[in-house]
Every structure is written in structure tokens, then in C-alpha cells.
Amino acid sequence: MWHKHMHSPAKKPKVEHSSSNPGGSGWSGGGGFKNSPKLEGHGQPNEALKQERRALPIYPARQQLIAQIRRLPSAIVIGETGSGKTTQIPQYLLEAGVNGGAAIAITQPRRVAAVSVCQRVAQEKNTTVGTSVGYRIRFEDATSSSTKLIFMTDGMLLREAILDSKLTKYSVIVLDEAHERTVHTDVLFGVVKAAQNCRLKTGLKLLKIIVMSATMDVDHFSRYFNKAPVLYLEGRQFPIQVMHTAEPQSDYAFSSVVTLFKIHKEAPAREDVLIFLTGQDEIDSAVKQLRQLSRDMQDLPKLLILPLYAALPPQQQVKVFEKTPPGHRKVVIATNVAETSITIPGIKFVIDCGKVKAKVFNARTGLDILRVVNTSKAQTLQRTGRAGRESAGTCYRLFTEAQFGEMSSNTVPEIQRCNLSSVILQLMAMGISDVMTFDFMDKPDRESILAALTELELLGAVEKISESDMPKLTPLGKRMAAFPLDPKYAKIILLSQEYGCVEEVLTIVSILSVDDIFINQMNKRDEIQSVRQKFVSSEGDHITLLNTFRAFKSVNGNKAWCFENFINYRHINTAREVRKQLRDICSCQGIQFSSCGKDTENVRKCLAAGLFLNCAQLSKQGDFTTVSSRLTVSIHPASALFHCKPACVVYSELIKLGKNYMRNVSVVDPEWLQEVAPSYFKQKKVHLMT
Ligand code: CDP
Ligand code: MG
């Protein structure tokens, strides 16, 4: 089944390479920490952790690294995943006082990484999260006024920039995992660069920018940040044997199970395995299947099977870092979160499905669709590299060598393949009105920017007086930008005042902002359906969600009740937290709270007014057709309306699973839509029929 060859890790220069610093002494390797300032923060970190910190590849380079960063306004740091960039560099800078007393922001593309890295650093500093070290992610703030190291998602820093475009609170911004090129990271590049410039011009304290990446392709970064020198960290990478399948695999999840058991039968138990799959559902079902299979195979060593994805509770996430008990084999099944942002100790084998879930946007249809796509060569190599962190390893690729050859070399930056309406709204709220000429590292195409502007214009957030004028944010647009939400939902919340249903809309938007509150188990489908019937509304999913939340509140958020009703207790609680925060923003915006009680028609009217761009009509064939792009779509099987044929609906999202499915669907009256956006429907030449 397997074809094999050796993977040689990219060769890294041993010494610093720097265009603006000829003659700079090499600092990777070589050591020299005799005169280093005290490493500890406050408190006494335990001896084992201290040892671990000192054993990291970055440690010997520490002093030269600090010296370099101290004198440079911007620097790019490159180092193999696991070398200690994220956990150590912020601590080094703080210990050496490079921040000059102000806070250091370290951005992460993922919530999981922001939280877990922060916990680790707090542990190393022998302190608790929220004191000198903290994190900030959407709807959660674990910092205090004295926090100096703030780990945050890139989206959070972007929101801060709306209120303070010079980022005056910070003296150092570390843009971590830059190679991921998420849409927020890309926008941050421009925003942070502008803040640095502006502070320079206005004589404010210098803003230091450090860009950290795990891949070598950095000329791009360096050029963009005014030829910032690139500092290379010497990594540790052992040889890795790479195996490809002889034939393409039609079911990679199944192939990954087969491959795992091949490894399990052949390799010693202490050698752990990391499997890359694409998403939570896939991972959960693989975990279940593997646990069952391993129970049936009594004669083999025990398997410790751990899932790892963004939506997993933190207590479960940290399990992957724990030592594998003797006689067990650890198997971590992860999304691409384990590609670079998280390093799992003990991994000797990697099984790579070669796929990733990615947002794909089509500017012509205006749709953001989440779908499983092939990884790029760069991503594949990163995944392979995870097998050779501590010793020589093996990577099983669940695709052929020819398929590898066909992969694109680099992942296209997300900004070039997603809906930009949210980002453009944020940029405009920062006072950047000419979004067309914004200094993007890689510009999204003109068509996508125009599509976003059109969407914002239709939502009333942006206005254009004439063709030659620059688009302007309207007062409504400014208020919409205050919410950390897709502009459509921000608008729905603002509109809900007019419809007298602020409380109801807050509940619905909060639930839509978290992971699915319903638990769906294939083997209990009938039972779940009959239990859930009491929440289901013929008006559609949004009202069903509202009913569920109301019932949850009526039992005071009882955990046992959630269990009996197949409700995910953690997710619905998160929704409650999110709701509190959105309610606070509403208060700041001077919104009057109101409730519509049992009569939920106004809630749907309000949804229609915000989601009119997401509407679909029943077609003669019995499918639905979207108004925006004449796409044929169906109602998702999990929807309350799956068996219904309403003439007209609005939906929260579209997903592609073979067919295009609408998720979270509500029945609406075509007249409502016509009323809120007459010119839109006229332009689309759509006659909405009742
Ligand atoms: O950023 P980079 O990939 O260079 O490394 P890092 O995230 O700073 O991780 C350095 C080491 O700290 C890793 O090898 C992990 O073993 C360890 N670590 C951990 O044990 N727990 C965490 N939550 C994060 C890192
Ligand atoms: Mg890192």
C-alpha cells in the first residue's frame, strides 16, 4: 500500500542573516548565558519546568536575540515549531525590560493557542492567568490592568485598533504564526505597520514589531516591514521517513484508522501518533471508533485517544501535553491546530489526510462556503515535520506521491478567499476610508473588495454619494462596527429596537456565535427527535433556538436538564456568557431593551431585515434558489424545517456537503423582504411570491 522516501527538512542557516546588519555575530547555537539576567518572574517556578525551558532550542540564542530585538524597530523571527518562540520570546523581552514597562501583545490566529500558551507561560512564571500574564479572546478577557504579557487572538487586537489606532497601550507587538496568513493577521500587518509609522511621526514612543513564523518563506514579510532583518533560530529536526499511498484513498478517515492499527501492531507502545483530520465531527467520530476498536483488541497495548480542536474545552485540550502513562500509546487526532501553533510531545508518527477545512469565498456569488480542500505543499511539509521533533520519525500520507505533486506550493492567504465585509467595516471604523489603497501585504482582488462594499452599502453601513466619491461609513455603520460580529448580525441587533424584540434577538445571535448547542448522536436519532420536539417551532430554527434557551433559563441552567434534553451544556453556557457581553455593548450603545414575549413574528421580521441577502425561494422542482446568486440549495437535514416547504426563507449560513445546504433557516413573508430592501429585489429582478 505504501511508497516510501525520505523527507529532508529544509536546511536552515545557522547564523543570523540580515540585510541591514552586516557582520552581525551568529547567535543561534553557541550558548553564552552566563551573564544573563534572572530568568524567573515572581514566585519560584518548579525545577523541572526551569529545566525544560533551558533545554529548548531557543535558550542558547536568548541573549543575542534580546540584544538584536532591543535595537531593531521591526524583526522577523523564524524557527521550527516547538523551538520556543511563542512561550519564550515574550518572557525574555519582559525579563530584559525591552517593553519599557508597557504591555506586550502576542497575537495568535487561534483561540486554543492563545489560551493554552498563556496557561503554559503562567505556569512557567509560577503565577496565575490574569495577573502579569493574561489572555484576551472574543467574549473572554483574562487580563488585569497590571498584565504585561497579553496573549490574544489577532481579531481581538484588531478590535482594539478600532478604539486606539496607535495601539498606545503597547510597546511591543508580536505577530505570531504569521505564516498562517489568516485574514485578521493580514489586516493586522497593515494596521500595526501604520501605527508604528504614525507613532514615529508624532514623536510618540516607538512601537516594536516582531513577526514570528515557522516557515522559511519570509522575504515577503521582510520586504513588507521595511526590510526588517530576519533572525533564524536553529531548530531541531530529525530525519523523517515519508510514506505515500499507492492509490488515492476515497475515505481518508477510514484509511487513517487502518494506518493507525498498522502502526499500533508494529511499533513499540511508547511511540505516539498524531493524526490530522479536518474537523470536529470527523475527529469525534474517529475517536469513538478507535476507542471501540481498541477495547476489542485486548492483546495489544492500550491506546490513549485524545481529540484536539478549537471547540474542545481547555481542560481537555491540555491533556495532549501530559505524559503518556507507561504501556500506553498516545494517539492525538487533531485539526490543523497541531500543524504549527501547538507542539505535542512524544510524537513519532504522523498520519496526514492531506485535507483541511477552509473558507472558500466566491466574489461573484458573494458566498463564503466552508469546505474540505487539499492542503498546500507547505502545510503538508509542516505536518510531516511534526514527526521528527524529538527523534527520527515516520509520516504516513493518505494520498499518492502524484497527488502531493499536484498540491499548490503555498496556501493562498485567507484574505484572498473570504468574504471581506467584516474586515472592510472594521478598517473603515478605524478611519481608513480608502480601503482600495490600504497597504495589504497581498491585496485581495478588487472584485472581492467591491463585493464587500456593496454588501455593506446594502446593509446601510456604507454610503457613496457619487461614483467618484470615496465610500463613507454611515452612523449606522459606525454602530455596527462596535459589535464583534458579522455585520449582518450587528445590524439585526441594532434593528431589534424598532421591532421590540432586543432580548430575543440577543439570545439568537449569541447562540449563532457559539458551537452547536444541540447534541446529535446518530444512534439515538429517534430519541433525540422526540425529546427535542417540545422546542421545535414551525417558524424555523432561529425560533427553535430561542425556545430552547428560554427553557434552559426556566430551569436555571440546570446541567442534568441539558443532559436529558441532549443539549450541550458547555456550549449553551458559553452562549449565555456571549449574550451578557453583547447586552453590555447594547447598553453602551444606548439601546433600550425590549421583549416581544410569545409573539415571535417580529423576531422573524427583524431577522428578515438583516438577512435579506441570505434569502431563498422555493422552486418549482421543490428545491430552493438563492436570490443573491441563483444557487440551488436545500434545507439542512438537522433543520426544524427539513420536512417543510415554505415559499420563502432566510438562512444563517450555507455549507457544502455534496449538496449546498442552508443551516439555521427561518420562514419569512416575502413582503417583509420587499419592504426592507425594495431596490435590491428590483435590481435582482426577483418577484417574491407569497
Ligand atoms: O512557538 P514555538 O512553536 O517555537 O514553540 P512554543 O509554543 O513556545 O513551545 C515550546 C515548548 O513548550 C514545546 O516544545 C512544548 O513542549 C512546550 N509547551 C507545553 O508543554 N505546553 C504548552 N501549552 C505550550 C508549549
Ligand atoms: Mg508558536
mmCIF file with all atom_site columns, all heavy atoms in Angstrom, residues 85-86 176-177 340-341, ligand 2:
data_model
loop_
_atom_site.group_PDB
_atom_site.id
_atom_site.type_symbol
_atom_site.label_atom_id
_atom_site.label_alt_id
_atom_site.label_comp_id
_atom_site.label_asym_id
_atom_site.label_entity_id
_atom_site.label_seq_id
_atom_site.pdbx_PDB_ins_code
_atom_site.Cartn_x
_atom_site.Cartn_y
_atom_site.Cartn_z
_atom_site.occupancy
_atom_site.B_iso_or_equiv
_atom_site.pdbx_formal_charge
_atom_site.auth_seq_id
_atom_site.auth_comp_id
_atom_site.auth_asym_id
_atom_site.auth_atom_id
_atom_site.pdbx_PDB_model_num
ATOM   1  N  N   . LYS A 1 85  ? 9.565  29.784 20.432 1.00 0.00 ? 85  LYS A N   1
ATOM   2  C  CA  . LYS A 1 85  ? 9.290  31.174 20.057 1.00 0.00 ? 85  LYS A CA  1
ATOM   3  C  C   . LYS A 1 85  ? 8.149  31.774 20.886 1.00 0.00 ? 85  LYS A C   1
ATOM   4  O  O   . LYS A 1 85  ? 8.311  32.787 21.555 1.00 0.00 ? 85  LYS A O   1
ATOM   5  C  CB  . LYS A 1 85  ? 8.887  31.269 18.570 1.00 0.00 ? 85  LYS A CB  1
ATOM   6  C  CG  . LYS A 1 85  ? 9.926  30.804 17.592 1.00 0.00 ? 85  LYS A CG  1
ATOM   7  C  CD  . LYS A 1 85  ? 9.466  31.009 16.162 1.00 0.00 ? 85  LYS A CD  1
ATOM   8  C  CE  . LYS A 1 85  ? 8.217  30.207 15.770 1.00 0.00 ? 85  LYS A CE  1
ATOM   9  N  NZ  . LYS A 1 85  ? 8.366  28.759 15.869 1.00 0.00 ? 85  LYS A NZ  1
ATOM   10 N  N   . THR A 1 86  ? 7.001  31.120 20.825 1.00 0.00 ? 86  THR A N   1
ATOM   11 C  CA  . THR A 1 86  ? 5.804  31.704 21.421 1.00 0.00 ? 86  THR A CA  1
ATOM   12 C  C   . THR A 1 86  ? 5.883  31.798 22.944 1.00 0.00 ? 86  THR A C   1
ATOM   13 O  O   . THR A 1 86  ? 5.546  32.824 23.527 1.00 0.00 ? 86  THR A O   1
ATOM   14 C  CB  . THR A 1 86  ? 4.575  30.859 21.030 1.00 0.00 ? 86  THR A CB  1
ATOM   15 O  OG1 . THR A 1 86  ? 4.609  30.663 19.626 1.00 0.00 ? 86  THR A OG1 1
ATOM   16 C  CG2 . THR A 1 86  ? 3.291  31.548 21.413 1.00 0.00 ? 86  THR A CG2 1
ATOM   17 N  N   . ASP A 1 176 ? 2.397  36.553 15.916 1.00 0.00 ? 176 ASP A N   1
ATOM   18 C  CA  . ASP A 1 176 ? 2.868  35.167 15.914 1.00 0.00 ? 176 ASP A CA  1
ATOM   19 C  C   . ASP A 1 176 ? 2.140  34.352 14.836 1.00 0.00 ? 176 ASP A C   1
ATOM   20 O  O   . ASP A 1 176 ? 1.063  34.723 14.408 1.00 0.00 ? 176 ASP A O   1
ATOM   21 C  CB  . ASP A 1 176 ? 2.611  34.568 17.296 1.00 0.00 ? 176 ASP A CB  1
ATOM   22 C  CG  . ASP A 1 176 ? 3.468  33.340 17.559 1.00 0.00 ? 176 ASP A CG  1
ATOM   23 O  OD1 . ASP A 1 176 ? 4.285  32.975 16.692 1.00 0.00 ? 176 ASP A OD1 1
ATOM   24 O  OD2 . ASP A 1 176 ? 3.331  32.747 18.647 1.00 0.00 ? 176 ASP A OD2 1
ATOM   25 N  N   . GLU A 1 177 ? 2.757  33.249 14.468 1.00 0.00 ? 177 GLU A N   1
ATOM   26 C  CA  . GLU A 1 177 ? 2.163  32.344 13.473 1.00 0.00 ? 177 GLU A CA  1
ATOM   27 C  C   . GLU A 1 177 ? 1.825  33.102 12.192 1.00 0.00 ? 177 GLU A C   1
ATOM   28 O  O   . GLU A 1 177 ? 0.776  32.882 11.576 1.00 0.00 ? 177 GLU A O   1
ATOM   29 C  CB  . GLU A 1 177 ? 0.877  31.693 14.015 1.00 0.00 ? 177 GLU A CB  1
ATOM   30 C  CG  . GLU A 1 177 ? 0.998  31.043 15.366 1.00 0.00 ? 177 GLU A CG  1
ATOM   31 C  CD  . GLU A 1 177 ? 1.771  29.739 15.347 1.00 0.00 ? 177 GLU A CD  1
ATOM   32 O  OE1 . GLU A 1 177 ? 1.869  29.128 14.268 1.00 0.00 ? 177 GLU A OE1 1
ATOM   33 O  OE2 . GLU A 1 177 ? 2.301  29.353 16.392 1.00 0.00 ? 177 GLU A OE2 1
ATOM   34 N  N   . THR A 1 340 ? 1.169  23.905 13.465 1.00 0.00 ? 340 THR A N   1
ATOM   35 C  CA  . THR A 1 340 ? 2.246  24.774 13.950 1.00 0.00 ? 340 THR A CA  1
ATOM   36 C  C   . THR A 1 340 ? 1.968  25.431 15.289 1.00 0.00 ? 340 THR A C   1
ATOM   37 O  O   . THR A 1 340 ? 2.886  25.700 16.039 1.00 0.00 ? 340 THR A O   1
ATOM   38 C  CB  . THR A 1 340 ? 2.546  25.928 12.964 1.00 0.00 ? 340 THR A CB  1
ATOM   39 O  OG1 . THR A 1 340 ? 1.376  26.691 12.793 1.00 0.00 ? 340 THR A OG1 1
ATOM   40 C  CG2 . THR A 1 340 ? 3.036  25.420 11.643 1.00 0.00 ? 340 THR A CG2 1
ATOM   41 N  N   . SER A 1 341 ? 0.694  25.719 15.614 1.00 0.00 ? 341 SER A N   1
ATOM   42 C  CA  . SER A 1 341 ? 0.513  26.525 16.825 1.00 0.00 ? 341 SER A CA  1
ATOM   43 C  C   . SER A 1 341 ? 0.669  25.736 18.111 1.00 0.00 ? 341 SER A C   1
ATOM   44 O  O   . SER A 1 341 ? 0.894  26.314 19.156 1.00 0.00 ? 341 SER A O   1
ATOM   45 C  CB  . SER A 1 341 ? -0.798 27.301 16.812 1.00 0.00 ? 341 SER A CB  1
ATOM   46 O  OG  . SER A 1 341 ? -1.742 26.763 15.974 1.00 0.00 ? 341 SER A OG  1
HETATM 47 MG MG  . MG  B 2 .   ? 4.463  29.135 18.338 1.00 0.00 ? 2   MG  B MG  1
#
